[in-house]
Structures are given as structure tokens and as C-alpha cells.
Amino acid sequence: MKKHIALTLTASLLFPSAAAIQAAPKQAEVQAVSFNGMDAPKTVEEMSKAYSNATIDVKYSDGTKKTFPLRYEKLFKSTDTFSKNGKQIPAGTPIDAKGNPIIDHSVPNDPVPFISDAPDSNSLLEPLNGNSGKLHLVSHYEYQTVDNSGSSAYGRVPASMTLSTLQQDKKTGKLTVAGVEKIDFSETKGLWIPCNGSLSPWNTHLGSEEYEPDARIFEQELGTDKDSTNVKSFANYYFGEKGAEMANPYWYGFVPEVIVHPNGKAKAVKHYSTGRFSKELMKMMPDSKTAYFGDDGSYTMMFMYIADKAKDLSSGTLYAAKFHQTGTENGGSGDLSWIKLGHATDKEIEKYIESGITFSDIFETSTEPKAGFTAIKTYANQQKVEYLKVKPGMEKAAAFLESRRYAATLGATSEFNKMEGLALNTADKKAYMAISDQSKGMEVNPSDPQDDIRLPKIKSGVTYELNLQANQTDRNGNKINSSYVAASMKGLVVGEDMTSADEYGNTAHPEKVANPDNLSYSDALKTLFIGEDSGMHTNNYVWAYDPETKKLSRILSVPAGAEATGLMAADDRNGFSYLMSNYQHPGDELEGKSIKAVDKAKLIETIDREIGVNKSGDVGYISGLPNITNTHPSKK
């Protein structure tokens, strides 16, 4: 078994055209920055590509000012190939438990490797010891939109990550790809729908496993041909002939951590003590112990995890939030209290899974209200009301394998909708959280088992600011061992729904953020970056938002139908700054859009010719950001 497949990219990847990365002062420091946004794309050419023509104004402490252009730089496409055993293998191709490419047999007599069109999270690591001049990039490939026959393959095919070795031009900061390898997940039973992620304070990549498979439904389908949870399909692709015996939903829904060693080799582990739910990402606070998560889907929750030791996620305590609404203005606001779910180690929870534990081992159920049973409504069981009772002695298993269900039985708020990215503003001790679609459970729902959240319906979403505090206690009055406890939240950046589509097919205001997803905050630039996952904007954008001035600037447009992903502000990598940004599934769902300003058929044809509709996605970054450690342009 080859646990690390060394890859060599083709020459077209190794030598892209040069681009300027802006230098900033040695003798003068950056005093202030201001982004100048770009117009929304207007032509087929603009709408079919990823580009930036935004600029950034930089004011230095010596009184000088400079305006720099921003530019989108592609590192590679998920369809670009690398060499493995003399064959060219696409970068987005997943591998099985033996390290072999997973093959798509959907078209008879035409087997081809699966190729993910959905590159997502990026972590541009700090330089590693022993690799002077080289940087390493961990990237997610979230899912497979369609197979070779054109049928949906979402969630049925194991996912993957890559580790790229990057060369950095010492004068310009330009990044080029020197090599790529697939990261082995065989010791963690494979990788399930990795969405967003983050770089830990100790320079490891924290991934995700979104839309965890429902163990209750999986158990109901045992002995049948049904596979609505996709666990059977996943296991057959990943484990081959052992798939039937290895299929277990409880292996998935956790945080994978990727440790890259000084020799450039990666090791992946999963942290079962972080709880099991629809992990959009895990974002660590500055203490390297406290973390928050996006819990994507409908009727989801806000969770907080506090590790026992800094920089060690192998054991800790899990909490769930209770939302106490205080207002509806500007999206909404509320105070937060915290319910302790329990403490566990990775090994304890892994033993439960290895034992073959099932949903029925953890819960008693009823089909109607019954004494001793709690009525809950969560993302699980297709958002149907459930009547559950934890079996004696199964509290820990419930807390960490059925985190959302268990927390709901304790009264935690399970009404959040499409909770996506998180970012941290270290200086102001604020966190930011994206609610991509403020509807469903977040509206007034008096017939639901609980109705804590009663906010306005905003389909285009809200980005919230979380106030982080020390000296907080949980619901039982016990001190929470963290100085970064979210005590309240309020709307910060609010979308605007439109009653009908404009001539470009937008159903949300094109000059405001629609369906925020990826978030990243630059402490150096004091700027919040917001990436969209929107069907309400025909082209999705990356925005720069200044929390102090409230200025919102569009700085990147991705191809029509694509989602802006992989957003990560890297403030200083060997004296240069980068805003990592990918896109996925270009051209998706354009057929159903009312586009009149341009020829829709030509737009789709152009995307398919230049990129491939639902066939590929880009891994790349925005260049042109200033860095205070570089040379002042007027002093060169």
C-alpha cells in the first residue's frame, strides 16, 4: 500500500505566466488599506471566467499612498494531471483504501477515473523546517457532482485532499506548483464530503466532514437494497470487496486533522472527541483550545469545543448553544448560553464505533408523544419530529456520535439554517459566522418542538458577529474553561432578496452579499473576506468588508454557476501576502435561470469549452495584497 503518492505536475502547471505580487515598506509601515471594488461581470467573456480587476489603496506611515491592482492567479485545475506509475492522473481524482484511483464505470466499456469538480478548502501552511523557500498547500475536493454518464454522484463517491508543494519567487512572491500528492485517509476509514476548513494556530490543517450520514435511516435500510444515506456506495468504492462489512455511518461527521511533517509528508487523523454533526469547518481561537464549528444544513446547532490541552484535539469537552433572541434589526441578534454535553477522548469514541454501535443502541424511540421521551426536530431523520429517550449509560455515546440529537433533548437550540464559515478577528476578540440562508427553522415556527429563533426570512443570508468573552459559566453554573466563549451575536452584513430576477438572472441584490459561505479575516489588513455560495447571484463573488467603516467591495468574480470556495487570508508567507480562493462546479444550474442580458446558450457553451460544465474547478489565489514586512515600492 502506497500511503503517499508522489505526483509530478505537467509543465503547463509548473510554469504559468508571471504576475506581480506587491511589495510594501521596509522603512515605512502600512497604516491603512482600502479596497476599491470591481463592477459585476457584464459580458459572456467576463461571466465565464474567474478574474479580478479590483484595486487596493495603501497608505503608509510616512504619508505616501499607493494603489495596487488585484489579480486572480490559477495554480491548477482539478482536471490537470500528475504522473503516477507512468500514467497521467487528474489532481481531483479520489483514491481508495489501497491508494489506487477510484474508477467511474458508469459508461459501459469506458472506465475513467472520477474527477472532482469541487475544490474547496485551502490551508497555505507556514514554511516548514527543512523546506526553506517552499510552501505547502492542503486542498479539499469536496464531492463529485456527476459521473461520466451525467447522473448525480453527490455523496456516493469518497472524497479526497491533496498536498501541494509550492515554489515561491523570492522577488515577486509568485507561487508555482512543484509537486502534488494525494493524502492517505485509509487509517480513518476514508474521507466524507470535506467542505470548508482552517489552518490551526500550530500550523496543521483542520478539515471537515459535512452532511453526516443518518445512522437511524442507515439502520432502517439494513437488509434492503436502499442506500439513501450513500454509506454503502461510499464503502464499496473505498474498501472494494470489503465494502459491505465496512459500511458504518458513525465513521463520518468528524474533524480530520492533517499534519505535514518537516520532510513534506502528510499524516491524517480524525478527532472523534469533537462530536459528530455536519461539519462545515472547525475554527480555533487564539488559546489553541477553544473552537467553533459551522453546522451546515437545516435545523442545525452551534457547538463549542474546548480541548483539554492546547494544540491537542485528542480529548476535550463539547458544548451546544441556547439562543436567546434580543432583536430582529439588521438580520437579528441574540444572547447565547451554553449547555455542556460531555467530555471524551478520541479513543473512547473510536471504541464505540469499532464495537459496531447502532442508533438503536443509543436511543429508545416513540412514534408519538410519550412520557419520558423528548420531542425534537433536527437536521437528522430528514428534519422530521422525533421522540427520543437516551438509554441508560449511553449519554457519552449520544453526546459524541449523535451530538445534535442529544443536545436537542437537553434543550439546545436546533433551529439554525445553513450555518457555514467562521472567521476570527484576534485584535477585537470577535468571531464571524455565515448564515447562508436565513429561513426555515430560523423563522417563526410555533408548531415546532421549540421556537427559540424567530428572525426575518432572508434567503440571501446574513453574516453575524460573535462577541467572545471570558469568565462565562454553563447552564448549570459551572465555569467554562475558556476566555473565548461566544456570549452574543448580531447581524453584520445582510443580503437583500429581490422579488423577481434582473436581466442577469440575479434574485438577490447584485451589490450586496448573497448567501455568504467561506469567511476569512486578515488581522494585518483588518478586513473580513466573504465568499459566496449562491444560486441567487448568477456569478458568485468574493467580497472585502471593513468592519470599522462598513465598506463592502467586490474583489473577485468566478464563472457563472460556480461557487467561490477555499477562501483563506495568509497575511505573511516569507514576506508576501495571499488570499487563497478556488471555485467549483462552473456552469451549474444555469439552464433554469432567466438570463436576458447575454446569450445564455453561448454563456453555457463558453464555460463548457473553456473549463467544462460540472467537470472541473480551479485552485488559486488573489495576488496584489500588501505585506508590512516587504519593501516600500517608492524605496526600491
Side-chain angles (χ1 to χ4, degrees):
M1 182 186 301
K2 294 186 177 180
K3 293 192 176 180
H4 299 285
I5 303 175
L7 319 175
T8 304
L9 293 175
T10 56
S12 64
L13 292 181
L14 296 175
F15 303 103
S17 59
I21 304 262
Q22 306 303 334
K26 276 184 178 177
Q27 300 180 26
E29 294 182 349
V30 173
Q31 192 174 65
V33 300
S34 179
F35 286 87
N36 304 303
M38 55 188 272
D39 292 335
K42 297 292 192 298
T43 65
V44 166
E45 179 186 6
E46 291 176 336
M47 294 175 71
S48 61
K49 66 181 181 180
Y51 74 100
S52 177
N53 55 28
T55 62
I56 181 170
D57 293 335
V58 182
K59 180 181 178 182
Y60 298 104
S61 57
D62 63 359
T64 60
K65 296 180 181 179
K66 196 78 174 180
T67 298
F68 297 122
L70 303 182
R71 176 173 171 175
Y72 184 69
E73 299 290 340
K74 180 180 75 176
L75 287 170
F76 59 90
K77 295 170 65 176
S78 60
T79 50
D80 284 329
T81 58
F82 56 83
S83 177
K84 179 183 180 296
N85 298 332
K87 296 181 180 181
Q88 295 297 305
I89 304 298
T93 293
I95 58 174
D96 64 18
K98 295 181 179 180
N100 298 316
I102 298 177
I103 304 301
D104 179 353
H105 293 280
S106 63
V107 176
N109 304 315
D110 186 23
V112 295
F114 281 107
I115 309 173
S116 172
D117 61 322
D120 203 294
S121 174
N122 291 312
S123 278
L124 183 61
L125 274 63
E126 298 281 356
L128 302 173
N129 294 333
N131 281 275
S132 178
K134 293 182 180 179
L135 296 172
H136 292 83
L137 176 72
V138 177
S139 301
H140 288 184
Y141 300 85
E142 185 179 1
Y143 55 79
Q144 184 86 26
T145 299
V146 296
D147 62 22
N148 196 30
S149 72
S151 300
S152 174
Y154 182 86
R156 299 181 59 81
V157 182
S160 68
M161 296 186 196
T162 55
L163 176 66
S164 302
T165 302
L166 305 178
Q167 297 282 6
Q168 182 185 48
D169 187 289
K170 293 182 179 180
K171 292 183 178 180
T172 67
K174 172 75 175 178
L175 299 177
T176 54
V177 182
V180 180
E181 64 178 28
K182 300 300 286 192
I183 298 173
D184 172 48
F185 279 89
S186 61
E187 293 184 9
T188 68
K189 308 299 187 293
L191 180 64
W192 182 277
I193 312 181
C195 194
N196 205 344
S198 65
L199 182 66
S200 74
W202 55 96
N203 204 35
T204 63
H205 173 72
L206 302 178
S208 58
E209 290 187 307
E210 188 179 55
Y211 301 136
E212 83 286 5
D214 192 317
R216 180 176 188 172
I217 294 175
F218 178 81
E219 186 177 359
Q220 292 169 351
E221 294 178 350
L222 284 177
T224 74
D225 293 331
K226 291 183 178 180
D227 188 24
S228 65
T229 64
N230 292 328
V231 175
K232 297 175 186 177
S233 172
F234 180 103
N236 287 332
Y237 277 122
Y238 195 73
F239 300 107
E241 60 185 23
K242 293 184 178 181
E245 63 184 83
M246 298 299 291
N248 184 342
Y250 281 134
W251 285 121
Y252 311 108
F254 298 102
V255 171
E257 182 176 19
V258 176
I259 302 100
V260 182
H261 298 291
N263 63 3
K265 297 300 182 181
K267 179 176 177 58
V269 298
K270 277 187 190 176
H271 292 300
Y272 305 105
S273 68
T274 60
R276 181 175 171 271
F277 45 93
S278 181
K279 298 265 182 20
E280 171 77 14
L281 86 166
M282 179 183 198
K283 182 63 179 178
M284 299 301 305
M285 300 297 102
D287 61 357
S288 294
K289 292 174 62 178
T290 308
Y292 295 93
F293 308 84
D295 184 15
D296 201 354
S298 297
Y299 288 89
T300 62
M301 291 185 165
M302 187 186 304
F303 290 96
M304 175 177 66
Y305 175 82
I306 302 176
D308 293 342
K309 299 178 181 178
K311 305 180 183 180
D312 181 355
L313 304 178
S314 64
S315 64
T317 303
L318 188 64
Y319 296 84
K322 182 77 169 176
F323 181 85
H324 308 275
Q325 188 164 309
T326 56
T328 60
E329 299 79 13
N330 199 42
S333 60
D335 294 329
L336 300 169
S337 60
W338 292 94
I339 300 170
K340 181 180 177 180
L341 305 185
H343 175 276
T345 68
D346 285 348
K347 290 182 179 179
E348 285 177 314
I349 306 309
E350 187 175 15
K351 284 182 180 178
Y352 277 124
I353 306 171
E354 288 176 338
S355 74
I357 194 171
T358 65
F359 172 85
S360 293
D361 293 328
I362 301 172
F363 290 107
E364 293 182 49
T365 65
S366 175
T367 58
E368 59 187 7
K370 186 177 179 181
F373 288 73
T374 304
I376 66 169
K377 185 176 183 180
T378 70
Y379 171 77
N381 203 34
Q382 300 171 340
Q383 294 98 63
K384 298 175 184 176
V385 174
E386 298 179 288
Y387 303 93
L388 301 181
K389 180 180 180 181
V390 179
K391 290 186 174 181
M394 299 306 292
E395 290 80 7
K396 181 169 290 191
F400 292 91
L401 293 178
E402 293 285 354
S403 304
R404 206 184 296 106
R405 280 177 164 126
Y406 181 64
T409 67
L410 298 181
T413 300
S414 60
E415 302 162 52
F416 290 97
N417 192 66
K418 296 298 293 178
M419 183 191 293
E420 305 274 0
L422 287 158
L424 171 68
N425 176 342
T426 305
D428 295 335
K429 209 171 181 182
K430 306 288 186 184
Y432 305 106
M433 181 182 73
I435 294 293
S436 186
D437 175 357
Q438 186 160 291
S439 64
K440 299 182 180 178
M442 298 186 74
E443 299 176 67
V444 176
N445 294 288
S447 63
D448 281 351
Q450 73 177 185
D451 197 21
D452 293 341
I453 306 179
R454 304 172 307 281
L455 294 176
K457 181 179 181 178
I458 306 173
K459 291 290 293 180
S460 51
V462 180
T463 300
Y464 281 87
E465 178 184 272
L466 277 61
N467 183 29
L468 306 175
Q469 296 288 329
N471 302 315
Q472 299 295 297
T473 58
D474 67 18
R475 183 176 64 178
N476 294 328
N478 298 312
K479 183 178 179 180
I480 300 176
N481 187 27
S482 172
S483 297
Y484 297 91
V485 178
S488 62
M489 57 187 287
K490 63 179 181 180
L492 188 69
V493 183
V494 183
E496 182 179 331
D497 303 348
M498 301 196 305
T499 56
S500 60
D502 67 13
E503 60 180 350
Y504 285 93
N506 299 307
T507 55
H509 198 302
E511 299 304 316
K512 296 184 179 182
V513 177
N515 307 116
D517 189 310
N518 282 203
L519 301 180
S520 189
Y521 186 82
S522 167
D523 284 309
L525 301 178
K526 298 181 180 179
T527 299
L528 175 64
F529 297 102
I530 306 172
E532 296 180 337
D533 175 13
S534 179
M536 301 180 75
H537 281 170
T538 298
N539 286 83
N540 279 196
Y541 309 118
V542 172
W543 303 82
Y545 177 77
D546 187 326
E548 183 177 346
T549 66
K550 313 300 181 186
K551 182 180 180 182
L552 181 68
S553 307
R554 182 190 292 108
I555 62 171
L556 176 70
S557 176
V558 299
E563 172 187 345
T565 61
L567 193 63
M568 180 207 175
D571 283 339
D572 186 352
R573 296 297 182 270
N574 296 322
F576 295 94
S577 296
Y578 306 93
L579 184 62
M580 307 306 299
S581 188
N582 304 337
Y583 68 80
Q584 60 179 228
H585 57 71
D588 193 36
E589 300 181 351
L590 290 181
E591 290 286 358
K593 277 194 166 290
S594 176
I595 301 174
K596 300 176 181 178
V598 300
D599 186 328
K600 183 170 72 173
K602 184 178 180 182
L603 174 62
I604 296 172
E605 187 277 329
T606 301
I607 294 173
D608 198 36
R609 183 183 68 248
E610 298 295 329
I611 309 168
V613 171
N614 286 332
K615 294 178 182 178
S616 185
D618 274 6
V619 175
Y621 64 96
I622 298 173
S623 67
L625 300 177
N627 186 288
I628 62 173
T629 63
N630 279 350
T631 306
H632 192 304
S634 65
K635 306 287 186 180
K636 289 181 181 177

